Amino acid sequence: DALDPERLIQCPYNKYHQIRACRFPYHLVKCRKSYPEVAKELATCPFNARHLVPQADLSDHIKKCNDKGFIEQDIVNESSGSQREQMNAVSTWQAPPCDEDWET
């Protein structure tokens, strides 16, 4: 189950590290500092910062990344939602009453 916070994930910096999903982001920060040479060789997925892949494989990962669909769907929903809001928006603003008479 991908949503299970207790599932184990392999660390991209050290394959012998098996980390619970709920602790994975914290572990990545710690291991990045411990393995700076490995960190230089890895690239971060633009769709999910938890995806660290070899730089040479990044373009292939981006094409296949499961999280890309979520981001694309959010963009579609956001743009269609704002268009709908703009079309349905009716101004309720009214000018405040004014006692000034510029003619006098």
Side-chain angles (χ1 to χ4, degrees):
D1 181 17
L3 300 176
D4 179 12
E6 297 300 317
R7 74 185 162 97
L8 294 177
I9 301 174
Q10 181 177 320
C11 173
Y13 298 105
N14 184 330
K15 66 180 181 178
Y16 298 108
H17 292 175
Q18 297 290 317
I19 297 84
R20 290 180 303 149
C22 62
R23 298 293 307 160
F24 195 66
Y26 306 103
H27 180 84
L28 288 178
V29 171
K30 179 181 166 189
C31 254
R32 182 179 297 124
K33 293 176 185 175
S34 299
Y35 298 96
E37 293 303 314
V38 177
K40 290 178 186 175
E41 298 173 8
L42 296 177
T44 304
C45 171
F47 305 114
N48 187 334
R50 295 178 184 186
H51 297 169
L52 297 171
V53 296
Q55 289 182 0
D57 299 339
L58 182 61
S59 61
D60 189 47
H61 172 81
I62 288 172
K63 292 176 189 172
K64 298 176 182 177
C65 182
N66 293 333
D67 292 329
K68 179 171 71 170
F70 297 123
I71 301 297
E72 290 173 342
Q73 189 60 45
D74 283 347
I75 291 169
V76 168
N77 289 344
E78 187 174 301
S79 66
S80 65
S82 64
Q83 288 173 350
R84 242 184 273 122
E85 289 171 12
Q86 289 174 357
M87 289 189 311
N88 293 335
V90 176
S91 177
T92 57
W93 183 84
Q94 293 180 353
C98 182
D99 294 335
E100 288 183 340
D101 184 4
W102 284 69
E103 299 298 321
T104 58

